[in-house]
Amino acid sequence: MLKKIFLSILIVLTTLVIWQWSLVNYGARMGLGQLKIIWGAKPVEDFLGDPSFPDSLKTKLRMIAEVRKYAIDSLGLKDTENYKTMYDQRNQELMWVVQACGPFELKAKLWHFPIIGDLPYKGFFEKEKALAERKKLQSENYDVSIRNPGAWSTLGWFTDPILSDMLKRSEGDLAGLIIHEMVHSTIFIKDNADFNENLASFIGDTASYNFLAYKYGKNSKQYTQYMHEDQDYRTYSRHILRGTKLLDSLYKSFDSAESFDSKKEKKKLMIQRIVLNIDTLKLFEKRNSTSSWLPNNTYFMSFHLYQSKQKDFSEEFDKKYRGDLKAYIRYLSEQYPFL
């Protein structure tokens, strides 16, 4: 009897693996890629005790420990073992994230994953796999992009180390990045990447000001530098989001009988118009000329993914919680249980 039960279970499992082989294979590759980084990571103390490791980077490592403590004690984010180790990536890229979007609609392609649900991006630890995915999607007429994320959260399934390239960031940007990823380990809603990424961005950006004021003071160069960086990014984001609305209106105006080439040309002209107007933005630090650069729909969708709900979160935070970020996070944690 037990033999028959075991055989039945084995048959079911084998069938599931065959049916979902591509997903199983992908999951195994991602798991091995993440484990390679974890196995190669060393305790932060090893770098702090290494006389050959630059003092300026040791200062950043100590600051990350302070950011973690601040995020846990002052914000109420979940205490994990994350960011107590560091992986020296030796200036090499570690992950490639693929995003795709229809050619004439601002609707991201979604990939389904067990437990976490649908996501508008797919990561790879092998560049050739990401390039192959891009080629496949382009053959299906998708707009596609590949980017290298500065960090990512494994939502508590693995221990996330500091990546050495993080230390190249300014103090405010680094604090925002760490807090952003810690938010993902505290509040994460299945099938709602827009909410998850926008919320993590809002809390990370807002908390960075508070942390910098606490550690360095509002008149410090660190606070001022971050304020300029953040205000430039907000100005730029608002411009791109306005462009997103223009593109959306254009795509909705297309007639089904209109040729692909005609739609493509109108799309190109609209994106050129949006890009050329970037040079008119009032920024603390002017960007390089954008005249020869032409993004596709995935670029606009990325800003929608991370920035489109900032006003909503800000208004709720200001009206109901009057600057008490810890109370706001507690409310959100209760309202939206983790996964």
Side-chain angles (χ1 to χ4, degrees), residues 7 64 82 97 127-128 207 226 317:
L7 185 60
I64 289 176
N82 292 345
V97 172
K127 186 176 182 179
E128 64 273 15
Y226 178 69
F317 174 58

Side-chain angles (χ1 to χ4, degrees), residues 28-40:
R29 286 178 175 276
M30 290 299 290
L32 288 172
Q34 187 68 43
L35 286 172
K36 179 181 177 182
I37 292 172
I38 293 171
W39 289 331

